[in-house]
């Protein structure tokens, strides 16, 4: 196998046909740790070269559509050209340098791919965020990440402007829009006029690449920092076996571009295999649009949160047979065995599971073609050595409940996060003996299949969103009706789990209508923070259960919700 520092130099002629036929030639081994790696020069530009040499089919690299009938199709050649321009826009016009942080808050627009790859070409660290964020969420992210730049749309630009004066590190603002705005650089026109002459940085595999915000039990979201190895891991043979993508595949991942799942699936996984990334703009989730899109376009593989499949199954569609769909995969939250079976019956396509976190990327899964054990998240994907561990980090025997751990000693595997940025204490807290402790509870059977059980802490996973209770409690506390609250996870037939708030009212609100007050509190939370966090259930209580030191016993409330008390 022909390897170089960048991994994707043309393989010897006798191996090249394997790329084209889709039988992937392993370019790296699972445990390789090359000194240098850069996804843009090593992967994207490799496929550009293949296109130039006529060795890749006509499928675009990126195929974007929206509800208005607009369509963008970019080849790998165009991606290389445009992302080099983006790189020049960031460094030459924006003055950003390798290692600087850029807040990336874009919906599913083609520019998102230009920005991410443009950053990788320059070594600028991108910090993605969902467009559902409100001014306060953005302020927090800009302040703690010390982002020097931000790129967003005109919908969020006013929110950014309302907090920008409190962000001393912020120097440059890029707008993706057809309109201009004072104080903002127009990314679309800059791309048009920028040079496509750019030399990609020779990044080290261990150089930082991206920061993902992720919620925890306490405080505000933490910053999980990843190096270039996150992208390299998608080239490892074991990772390639997960989806077994080939150049002729058209792959659609529905995850919002604010989450690591989108970065992994809609970029690294798909483009490493030379496949087409398919994207529907999808400003609001609508199962009808998903079903129509799967029927209309030649999509061969689809990856989404289990809630998406669940919501489709719960509608009354006359047919769920899709002409080209071959493989479906669910990740981000737990999937029930009966949902897997229902999806197979109605679509004729198997529904596989993957599991991961912002800290870990894809950790385990059912590889395509591997035996599905309904309800299991599959097996560890090398180089991750996943074990079920106790609180001391000792490996537990098969079928014993414990924490999901990833071995980090003696060697931390490629693809695992570097640290929580600027938070050595929280980083150290995740270390447990020789393992990184995910905080997720599970069992592993004798064949190595992992079975998810729940969180060991108070973090809520609602329809694939990781939500920290304090983020919701803080939002509720701003409302005059709330004396105090406790936010916990509660079971839900559609979203798996939802956010539930137990609220103690202030005296002046005690006589108010409870249904009306519930709606008011929900709208309040939606208005001050990203709306996916709002409490779908609210219960008014005279007091909250507390320890003798005054700490709220969320655990007790959660157990009651799940009928465990
Ligand atoms: O319930 P309501 O309708 O009152 O409020 C909803 C939405 O309507 C509202 N909303 C959504 N888009 C909006 C908006 N409001 C204003 N402007 C917009 N553009 O927000 C409330 C919450 O929305 P939601 O997203 O929870 O529910 P929705 O819209 O029904 O979507 C359902 C799902 C399943 C599509 C959505 O929950 C989803 O995308 N979940 C998956 C999240 C995900 O991708 N997770 C992966 C994380 S990465 C990871 O796990 C690591 C794996 C390696």
């Amino acid at each position: 196998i022909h390897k170089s520092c960048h991994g994707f130099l043309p393989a010897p002629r006798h191996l090249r046909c394997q790329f084209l036929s889709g039988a992937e030639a392993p370019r790296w081994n699972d445990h390789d740790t090359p000194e240098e790696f850069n996804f843009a020069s090593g992967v994207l530009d490799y496929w550009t070269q293949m296109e130039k040499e006529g060795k890749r089919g006509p499928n675009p690299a990126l195929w974007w559509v929206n509800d208005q009938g607009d369509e963008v199709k970019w080849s790998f050649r165009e991606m290389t050209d445009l992302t080099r321009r983006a790189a020049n826009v960031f460094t030459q016009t924006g003055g950003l340098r390798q290692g600087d942080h850029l807040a990336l808050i874009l919906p599913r627009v083609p520019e998102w791919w230009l920005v991410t790859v443009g950053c990788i070409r320059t070594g600028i660290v991108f910090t993605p965020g969902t467009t559902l964020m409100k001014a306060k969420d953005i302020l927090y992210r800009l302040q703690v990440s010390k982002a020097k730049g931000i790129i967003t749309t005109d919908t969020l630009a006013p929110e950014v402007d309302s907090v920008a004066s409190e962000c001393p590190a912020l120097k440059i603002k890029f707008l993706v829009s057809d309109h201009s705005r004072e104080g903002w650089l127009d990314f679309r026109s800059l791309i048009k006029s920028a040079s496509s002459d750019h030399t990609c940085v020779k990044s080290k595999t261990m150089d930082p690449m991206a920061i993902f915000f992720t919620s925890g039990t306490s405080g505000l979201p933490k910053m999980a920092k990843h190096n270039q190895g996150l992208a390299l891991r998608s080239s490892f043979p074991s990772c390639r076996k997960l989806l077994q993508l080939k150049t002729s595949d058209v792959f659609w991942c529905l995850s919002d571009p604010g989450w690591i799942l989108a970065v992994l699936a809609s970029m690294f996984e798909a483009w490493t295999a030379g496949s087409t990334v398919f994207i529907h703009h999808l400003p609001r989730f609508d199962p009808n649009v998903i079903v129509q899109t799967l029927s209309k376009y030649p999509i061969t593989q689809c990856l989404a949160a289990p809630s998406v499949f669940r919501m489709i199954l719960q509608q009354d569609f006359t047919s769920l047979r899709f002409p080209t769909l071959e493989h479906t995969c669910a990740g981000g939250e737990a999937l029930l065995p009966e949902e897997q079976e229902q999806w197979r019956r109605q679509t004729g396509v198997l529904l596989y599971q993957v599991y991961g976190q912002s800290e870990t990327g894809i950790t385990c899964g059912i590889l395509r073609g591997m035996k599905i054990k309904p309800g299991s998240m599959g097996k560890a994907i090398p180089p991750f050595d996943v074990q079920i561990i106790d609180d001391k980090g000792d490996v537990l025997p098969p079928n014993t409940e414990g924490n999901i751990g990833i071995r980090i000693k003696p060697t931390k595997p490629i693809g695992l996060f570097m640290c929580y940025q600027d938070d050595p204490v929280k980083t150290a807290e995740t270390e447990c003996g020789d393992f990184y402790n995910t905080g997720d509870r599970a069992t592993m059977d004798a064949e190595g299949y992992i079975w998810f059980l729940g969180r060991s802490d108070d973090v809520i996973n609602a329809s694939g969103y990781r939500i920290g209770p304090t983020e919701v409690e803080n939002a509720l506390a701003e409302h005059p009706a709330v004396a105090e609250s406790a936010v916990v996870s509660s079971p839900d037939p559609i979203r798996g789990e939802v956010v539930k708030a137990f609220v103690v009212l202030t005296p002046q609100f005690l006589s108010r209508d409870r249904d009306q007050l519930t709606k008011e509190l929900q709208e309040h939370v939606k208005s001050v923070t990203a709306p996916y966090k709002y409490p779908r259930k609210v219960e008014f209580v005279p007091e909250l259960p507390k320890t003798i030191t005054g700490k709220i016993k969320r655990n007790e409330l959660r157990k009651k919700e799940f009928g465990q008390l």
Side-chain angles (χ1 to χ4, degrees), residues 333-411:
E333 48 161 329
L335 178 69
L336 300 176
E338 50 272 31
E339 292 160 357
Q340 271 175 303
E341 175 50 22
Q342 210 186 337
W343 181 261
R344 188 201 58 76
R345 245 195 350 262
Q346 295 205 33
T347 63
V349 178
L350 295 173
L351 181 52
Y352 288 67
Q353 259 206 84
V354 291
Y355 158 83
Q357 301 181 324
S358 299
E359 291 87 339
T360 66
I362 292 170
T363 306
C364 61
I366 312 258
L367 310 180
R368 193 170 175 184
M370 186 171 130
K371 181 173 76 173
I372 293 180
K373 291 193 184 183
S376 165
M377 317 193 289
K379 298 186 189 185
I381 300 176
F384 287 0
D385 172 7
V386 178
Q387 299 291 341
I388 304 301
I389 53 169
D390 65 15
D391 290 340
K392 293 193 206 93
D394 291 325
V395 177
L396 292 166
N399 304 314
T400 313
E401 180 179 340
N403 294 314
I404 300 176
I406 300 172
R407 194 180 294 279
I408 51 170
K409 286 177 194 161
T411 315

Side-chain angles (χ1 to χ4, degrees), residues 132 255-256 259-261 264 283-285 305 307-308 311 331-332 355-358 361-362 462-465 495 526 531-532 534 536:
L132 290 175
S255 183
D256 180 288
W259 312 120
I260 192 171
L261 194 55
L264 291 171
R284 293 294 277 255
F285 174 71
S307 290
V308 170
M311 286 173 183
Y355 158 83
Q357 301 181 324
S358 299
I362 292 170
S463 61
Y465 295 118
R495 290 164 193 274
K526 280 185 181 183
Y532 67 83
Y534 86 89
R536 287 179 189 268

Side-chain angles (χ1 to χ4, degrees), residues 20 92 128 131 287 318 322 341 403 411:
L20 294 171
Q92 290 175 8
T131 50
T318 45
F322 306 112
E341 175 50 22
N403 294 314
T411 315

Side-chain angles (χ1 to χ4, degrees), residues 137 140-141 213-222 259 358-359 426 455 457-477 485-490 497-501 525 528-535 554 558:
D137 304 312
Y140 168 71
R141 279 163 170 76
F213 281 85
T214 184
S215 297
T217 280
S218 59
L220 293 167
K222 299 167 281 186
W259 312 120
S358 299
E359 291 87 339
K426 285 228 161 85
R455 286 292 302 175
D457 57 17
D458 296 331
V459 168
I460 303 157
N461 187 335
S463 61
Y465 295 118
R466 184 162 145 179
I467 301 167
T470 43
E471 294 170 50
V472 187
E473 287 162 4
N474 289 349
L476 283 167
S485 72
V487 165
V488 299
S489 172
S490 178
E497 296 172 27
V498 291
V499 173
K500 175 162 181 179
V525 174
V528 295
T529 190
Y532 67 83
K533 296 182 210 166
Y534 86 89
R554 287 202 201 100
R558 186 178 66 233

Side-chain angles (χ1 to χ4, degrees), residues 518-549:
T518 296
K519 287 199 185 77
E520 202 176 308
L521 290 177
Q522 290 173 330
E523 288 311 313
H524 164 77
V525 174
K526 280 185 181 183
S527 72
V528 295
T529 190
Y532 67 83
K533 296 182 210 166
Y534 86 89
R536 287 179 189 268
K537 296 183 186 173
V538 177
E539 187 175 330
F540 298 100
V541 289
E543 59 184 2
L544 295 171
K546 288 186 182 160
T547 61
I548 39 169
T549 54

